[in-house]
Each structure stands twice: as structure tokens, then as C-alpha cells.
Amino acid sequence: MSFDRSIKIAPSILSADFANFGAEIEAVEAQGADWIHVDVMDGHFVPNLTFGPPLCAAIRKHINTVMDVHLMISPVDPYIQAFADAGADVLTAHLEAGPHIHRTLQAIRGAGCKAGLALNPGTGVEDIDYLLNMVDLICVMTVNPGFGGQKFIHSQIDKVKKLRAMIGDRPIHIEIDGGITPETAPLMAAAGADVLVAGSAVFKGGSVQNPAPYGENIRAIKASVAS
């Protein structure tokens, strides 16, 4: 998993056909997805319940790009090794998910994964200055975590600009999760983001039997950033 700042689209399987994950992933990758984003929710840290390590292990063999696992769970530390063993390339934990985020990031890297740090919409960037050398990715939530299909929170644009200035030339991805469309994507790219998570904006209108809309949707987001 090499580092670059080109725009990458990471479709969230939260918007895919749950009965057909393997085929959905293969279809969306064939249509141009750069990463595959897996939203793990525990019904405790966020008000929804989704996937665990067995699901991640099951879909791993269908993923040829990057398996980007977003842990919206608390506590995080007891589950890091299980998700690493399931094949995650990137494991992202929330700053607020536990009392010792530095230790959590150490554990993620120790398990052989790239370490991501997620920031909720109400979280500032002041607390991450001393964590920048511990992370490979910062995920800025542009909706409140827990559900797909929410409206984009525009106040996060300024947060991304601050983060980009803080990061400087460090090889750290800035990922945006929530409300990404061809309208919002260029705002985040201009602010400094390079990984755009998109659920319904990628999967709408398509299916395993008719995957062409997936590619059209991905290209529309990328074109909006390039224009």
C-alpha cells in the first residue's frame, strides 16, 4: 500500500447489497473503486450495529485494492488483532473511543496495519498534534457516525484545511467520510483530502447484474474534483 495524494474513491459496503457482498465488491472494484471501506459499528459507540471480524475475513478474498476498516466501536483495543487477522490493510479508531488513543494507534501498527484516527464533527484538531507521527490516515467525519445517507456538515471543510496545514509533508492520508457527492467532493479535495468515502453516491442505480452505474457514479465524483 504505497502513499500518494491522488484522489481515491472508497465505496462503503454499508450501501451495498448485504446478501451479495463478494460480488458487489468485485463489481465496484471493476468499475474503478480505489479502496473498499468497511464501517464497523457496535450499537454502543454509535447507534447502529453492523459487521465484525468474521465478515471482514469473508470478504477479504474478494478485495484486490485496499481494505479500509473503520472501527466505530468502544472499546477498540480488544478487537484490533481480530480485525488485523481478518485482513484489514487500514484500521481506523476514533479519538473518543478510549482513554489511551496513543496506545491504540501503537497496537494497530503493531498488528501490521496502517493506523487511522477518526475525528467526529464536534472534535477539534488541537488534540492530535502529538499523534501525527503515529498515524497513516486521519478520517474526518462529515456526518455524525452511525448511519449512511446523512447530510454533509460544511463546518468540517475548515477542519480539513487546518489538518492539511498540520500534516505538512508527512505521508498521512486525509479521508472524508459522510455525505460525499459530486457537489461536496470538490470542496474536500480543495481543502486537502485525498480519500473520499462514498456509499449511496456510488451504489445508487446499480447492482451486481447492472454494475455500469457504479462506474458512472465513481467517474462523476472524480470528474467533479478534476474540474
Side-chain angles (χ1 to χ4, degrees), residues 15 30 38 45 54 88 101 104 106 113 131 142 154 171 178 188-189 197 201 209-210:
S15 295
V38 184
F45 182 67
I101 189 64
T104 299
Q106 281 182 318
C113 298
L131 299 171
T142 43
H154 281 78
M188 303 318 292
V197 176
Q209 292 76 27
N210 178 33

Side-chain angles (χ1 to χ4, degrees), residues 11 23-33 35-36 202-203 211 214 218:
E24 286 275 59
I25 288 165
E26 291 172 9
V28 81
E29 283 192 340
Q31 291 294 325
W35 293 14
I36 298 296
V202 166
F203 284 98
Y214 297 165
I218 289 170

Side-chain angles (χ1 to χ4, degrees), residues 18-226:
F18 278 29
N20 220 1
F21 274 142
E24 286 275 59
I25 288 165
E26 291 172 9
V28 81
E29 283 192 340
Q31 291 294 325
D34 299 290
W35 293 14
I36 298 296
H37 190 80
V38 184
D39 289 301
V40 176
M41 306 181 190
D42 64 358
H44 165 68
F45 182 67
V46 295
N48 203 355
L49 193 62
T50 58
F51 319 121
L55 184 280
C56 291
I59 64 174
R60 174 70 258 192
K61 61 180 177 289
H62 299 278
I63 297 175
N64 292 311
T65 57
V66 172
M67 187 175 183
D68 176 32
V69 179
H70 180 186
L71 300 176
M72 287 172 269
I73 66 176
S74 178
V76 177
D77 294 7
Y79 301 98
I80 289 170
Q81 191 61 53
F83 280 103
D85 291 344
D89 294 302
V90 183
L91 274 179
T92 297
H94 277 252
L95 181 67
E96 306 89 350
H100 305 295
I101 189 64
H102 190 283
R103 180 180 294 155
T104 299
L105 296 170
Q106 281 182 318
I108 291 172
R109 282 187 164 180
C113 298
K114 298 290 186 182
L117 176 65
L119 305 178
N120 285 331
T123 304
V125 298
E126 301 78 17
D127 292 331
I128 70 166
D129 201 20
Y130 293 101
L131 299 171
L132 287 176
N133 291 328
M134 300 290 301
V135 299
D136 303 289
L137 176 148
I138 297 173
C139 175
V140 176
M141 296 299 301
T142 43
V143 299
N144 284 294
F147 295 97
Q150 297 183 76
K151 295 292 186 185
F152 180 86
I153 300 173
H154 281 78
S155 64
Q156 304 307 295
I157 297 171
D158 186 55
K159 182 189 292 185
V160 172
K161 291 178 180 176
K162 290 178 180 176
L163 276 173
R164 186 67 194 87
M166 290 173 68
I167 287 169
D169 60 0
R170 295 178 178 91
I172 300 172
H173 295 290
I174 298 179
E175 179 177 74
I176 306 302
D177 189 353
I180 287 296
T181 66
E183 290 69 47
T184 59
L187 304 175
M188 303 318 292
D194 63 283
V195 182
L196 304 177
V197 176
S200 52
V202 166
F203 284 98
K204 67 180 180 182
S207 66
V208 168
Q209 292 76 27
N210 178 33
Y214 297 165
E216 293 165 7
N217 296 335
I218 289 170
R219 289 189 292 275
I221 297 171
K222 287 195 171 182
S224 75
V225 170

